[in-house]
């Protein structure tokens, strides 16, 4: 590399099976953050169906100076293969990784990918990547001293046989950059398989109004990975981004995919007001699941007035015992009231439920199905519990190899087997829940009415086959 030039950075979302094929916001924010100090290429391995062989050829062709991988736990095995392929193609390149899995298990991930992987950037990597991109043309990143590495937010590395492992980086100001690098991941290039599966208009784009979550649900790793705090974007920036997505990229619908859009009522109301004032007139949904404490008539009407037509709720279980073990802080009566309030306002209400939680019984699972069927839900999803690294249950369960089936699973697959179940019997309970819910005529009609094109029907059928057939 000519030292007077900016380094070339290739960002890669590691390919693995996913129901969601949507622009990778994390990589988009990283790209926007380092544009002043690097030339950027971005590969969404999920959208492209990228194989290690294809990645090898692309890396050979692009010859980047640095390659950064975004890795979720379900993609940890493909990540090993991809990192190996890039190292073979680019012996002198700097290779780093980030995302939920390396953040939660940095030492293990470094060891699994030694000696090909140089660094892990834990947590929110914008600042750490900026530093690396500035240092690369100056002296070569591999020559940075351990003292210098220790000063990089979120850095984990094995430097001269010494482990460096900083805490996950958590950014206080999430207004810089103002929005992701949408030109590197145009929403119009994506298939009709967005988060939550269902939409009214296309193209669809995801957007964030906040980062992080301060709640302590036993099944969720987000607080551990983001410092247990929530930070908010300026409402005006959110509105400006939605307007940009519509006018420049032809986006027809947005998805607010915050970990908890309703965590702060005042901020949620301000976002809704900014959207209305911008005149963007863009329908949007909350498919990621929101907490219910702050959902009242004022907030619901504000969301609806700003274009929101669908909200997903983390209802999780119809068993008070299981909810207590989950540390959900939710009562069944309270949850039912919120569902009724949303439905009365004319919004679609979708429920997330978890089956196979530790200490859960068949009676608990029946209570969950009965609870789901009693509510005016548009759709319901029944996931199998997977103890992801970083979640509170991980610490309790990971020492029991008999119960753990491995990390490389999706929520449709058996990743953990509670006492009293086998893999096959647990999977049967999940199928029973889906069939029991959608055999209700009203639920089947609502489901079918949500499928608005042949392509959407194809991706729904693909998803249903995976969820019902995967073991």
């Amino acid at each position: 590399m000519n030292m007077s030039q900016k380094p070339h950075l290739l960002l890669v979302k590691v390919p693995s099976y996913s129901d969601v094929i949507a622009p990778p916001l994390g990589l988009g924010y990283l790209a926007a953050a380092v544009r002043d100090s690097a030339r950027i290429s971005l590969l969404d391995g999920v959208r492209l169906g990228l194989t290690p062989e294809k990645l090898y050829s692309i890396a050979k062709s692009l010859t980047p100076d640095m390659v950064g991988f975004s890795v979720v736990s379900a993609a940890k095995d493909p990540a090993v293969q991809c990192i190996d392929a890039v190292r073979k193609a680019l012996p002198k390149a700097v290779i780093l990784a980030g995302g939920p899995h390396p953040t939660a298990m940095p030492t293990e991930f470094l060891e699994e990918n030694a000696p090909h992987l140089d660094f892990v950037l834990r947590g929110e990597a914008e600042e750490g990547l900026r530093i690396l991109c500035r240092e690369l043309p100056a002296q070569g990143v591999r020559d940075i001293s351990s003292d210098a590495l220790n000063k990089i937010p979120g850095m984990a590395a094995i430097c001269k046989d010494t482990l460096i492992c900083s805490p996950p980086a958590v950014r206080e100001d999430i207004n810089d950059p103002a929005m992701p690098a949408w030109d590197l991941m145009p929403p119009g290039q994506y298939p009709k398989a967005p988060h939550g599966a269902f939409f009214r208009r296309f193209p669809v784009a995801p957007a964030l109004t906040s980062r992080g979550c301060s709640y302590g649900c036993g099944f969720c790793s987000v607080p551990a990975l983001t410092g247990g705090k929530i930070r908010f974007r300026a409402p005006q920036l959110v509105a400006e981004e939605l307007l940009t997505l519509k006018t420049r990229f032809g986006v027809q619908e947005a998805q607010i995919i915050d970990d908890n859009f309703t965590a702060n009522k005042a901020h949620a109301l301000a976002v809704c007001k900014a959207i209305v004032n911008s005149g963007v007139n863009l329908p949007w949904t909350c498919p990621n699941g929101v907490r219910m404490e702050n959902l009242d008539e004022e907030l619901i009407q504000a969301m609806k007035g700003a274009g929101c037509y669908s909200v997903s709720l983390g209802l999780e279980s119809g068993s008070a015992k299981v909810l207590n073990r989950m540390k959900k802080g939710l009562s069944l009566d309270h949850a039912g009231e919120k569902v009724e309030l949303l439905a009365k306002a004319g919004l679609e209400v979708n429920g997330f439920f978890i089956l196979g939680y530790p200490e859960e019984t068949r009676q608990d699972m029946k209570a969950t199905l009965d609870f789901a069927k009693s509510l005016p839900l548009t759709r319901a999803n029944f996931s199998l519990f997977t103890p992801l690294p970083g979640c509170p249950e991980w610490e309790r369960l990971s020492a029991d190899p008999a119960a753990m089936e491995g990390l490389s699973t999706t929520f449709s697959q058996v990743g953990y087997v509670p006492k009293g179940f086998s893999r096959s019997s647990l999977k049967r309970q999940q199928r029973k829940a889906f069939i029991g819910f959608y055999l209700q005529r009203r639920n089947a009609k609502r489901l079918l009415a949500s499928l608005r094109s042949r392509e959407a029907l194809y991706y729904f059928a693909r998803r249903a086959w995976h969820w019902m057939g995967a073991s």
Side-chain angles (χ1 to χ4, degrees):
M1 182 185 70
N2 185 330
M3 292 302 176
S4 64
Q5 294 179 344
K6 294 179 181 179
H8 183 186
L9 169 64
L10 172 62
L11 295 172
V12 182
K13 181 176 181 179
V14 173
S16 65
Y17 176 85
S18 177
D19 294 323
V20 178
I21 309 176
L25 283 188
L27 291 184
Y29 272 107
L30 290 179
V34 300
R35 272 190 153 159
D36 289 344
S37 50
R39 295 175 290 125
I40 312 294
S41 299
L42 192 155
L43 291 176
D44 184 342
V46 176
R47 181 179 74 85
L48 297 172
L50 207 59
T51 63
E53 293 76 20
K54 289 180 182 178
L55 182 57
Y56 175 91
S57 298
I58 293 172
K60 270 283 193 183
S61 174
L62 293 177
T63 62
D65 305 293
M66 187 182 301
V67 182
F69 290 94
S70 175
V71 187
V72 297
S73 290
K76 75 178 188 69
D77 293 336
V80 173
Q81 298 173 340
C82 289
I83 290 169
D84 180 67
V86 168
R87 177 56 72 212
K88 289 176 180 176
L90 306 167
K92 296 183 179 180
V94 173
I95 300 179
L96 58 147
H101 188 73
T103 293
M105 304 187 74
T107 304
E108 294 85 348
F109 196 76
L110 283 165
E111 291 174 348
E112 288 171 355
N113 289 280
H116 304 317
L117 182 65
D118 295 303
F119 308 119
V120 161
L121 287 178
R122 308 180 68 202
E124 296 167 341
E126 285 94 339
E127 187 55 36
L129 195 57
R130 279 172 173 160
I131 294 172
L132 290 177
C133 287
R134 288 197 299 265
E135 293 290 342
L136 183 59
Q139 62 184 46
V141 171
R142 286 206 188 88
D143 298 324
I144 298 178
S145 67
S146 58
D147 288 342
L149 288 176
N150 272 312
K151 295 178 182 178
I152 298 176
M155 172 58 67
I158 299 174
C159 182
K160 298 178 182 178
D161 297 325
T162 300
L163 176 65
I164 295 169
C165 191
S166 301
V170 179
R171 306 183 72 225
E172 294 297 331
D173 180 9
I174 63 168
N175 293 311
D176 174 28
M179 67 181 72
W182 284 109
D183 57 306
L184 298 180
M185 47 182 194
Q189 293 183 1
Y190 280 77
K192 294 180 178 179
H195 191 81
F198 299 93
F199 54 90
R200 291 183 176 177
R201 301 180 185 177
F202 203 81
V204 176
L208 289 171
T209 78
S210 66
R211 292 188 189 180
C213 185
S214 57
Y215 293 90
C217 299
F219 52 82
C220 183
S221 60
V222 168
L225 304 184
T226 58
K229 61 171 66 175
I230 186 168
R231 286 123 317 124
F232 301 96
R233 289 180 73 195
Q236 187 59 37
L237 284 184
V238 176
E240 289 172 4
E241 180 179 3
L242 296 182
L243 194 59
T244 297
L245 285 167
K246 182 177 181 178
T247 58
R248 183 178 172 189
F249 296 99
V251 166
Q252 297 298 306
E253 182 171 317
Q255 294 183 327
I256 304 299
I257 61 167
D258 296 26
D259 291 302
N260 195 343
F261 174 68
T262 58
N264 183 299
K265 180 182 173 182
H267 181 262
L269 287 171
V271 169
C272 292
K273 182 178 179 180
I275 291 173
V276 171
N277 290 342
S278 73
V280 64
N281 192 27
L282 198 68
W284 53 277
T285 65
C286 292
N288 208 31
V290 302
R291 296 280 301 199
M292 286 165 263
E293 288 86 346
N294 293 324
L295 275 177
D296 58 16
E297 191 165 346
E298 180 187 17
L299 180 53
I300 291 170
Q301 290 301 324
M303 292 168 63
K304 184 177 180 181
C308 181
Y309 71 85
S310 178
V311 175
S312 296
L313 302 177
L315 300 168
E316 316 307 359
S317 180
S319 163
K321 179 196 79 178
V322 175
L323 287 174
N324 185 57
R325 165 86 188 223
M326 290 176 172
K327 300 188 184 304
K328 186 68 181 176
L330 177 69
S331 74
L332 296 174
D333 288 343
H334 181 72
E337 290 171 4
K338 297 300 183 180
V339 174
E340 294 283 353
L341 194 62
L342 287 161
K344 184 178 178 181
L347 274 69
E348 294 181 1
V349 192
N350 310 304
F352 292 142
F353 300 92
I354 296 174
L355 301 176
Y357 209 75
E359 301 178 5
E360 189 173 13
T361 66
R362 285 170 175 78
Q363 290 72 27
D364 293 322
M365 294 183 190
K366 182 180 184 302
T368 294
L369 175 57
D370 291 342
F371 183 51
K373 290 165 65 175
S374 73
L375 300 173
L377 297 174
T378 305
R379 291 178 295 275
N381 194 66
F382 301 91
S383 299
L384 293 177
F385 170 63
T386 299
L388 295 172
C391 78
E393 291 288 1
W394 169 262
E395 302 300 328
R396 305 167 85 174
L397 301 172
S398 59
D400 182 3
M404 302 288 286
E405 292 290 336
L407 289 171
S408 298
T409 60
T410 65
F411 298 118
S412 63
Q413 299 170 298
V414 178
Y416 164 78
V417 182
K419 291 181 180 180
F421 291 89
S422 64
R423 287 175 57 89
S424 59
S425 66
L426 181 58
K427 187 64 186 182
R428 281 197 300 271
Q429 290 293 322
Q430 185 190 35
R431 294 188 185 110
K432 182 178 179 180
F434 274 115
I435 293 170
F437 183 82
Y438 287 107
L439 274 181
Q440 288 188 302
R441 180 176 295 182
R442 68 175 187 183
N443 296 335
K445 289 177 66 175
R446 288 169 179 167
L447 174 67
L448 293 173
S450 301
L451 300 169
R452 296 172 177 266
S453 70
R454 288 183 179 179
E455 189 180 3
L457 178 61
Y458 164 77
Y459 280 104
F460 169 76
R462 176 178 179 260
R463 177 179 292 209
W465 179 264
H466 181 72
W467 278 76
M468 297 294 283
S471 59

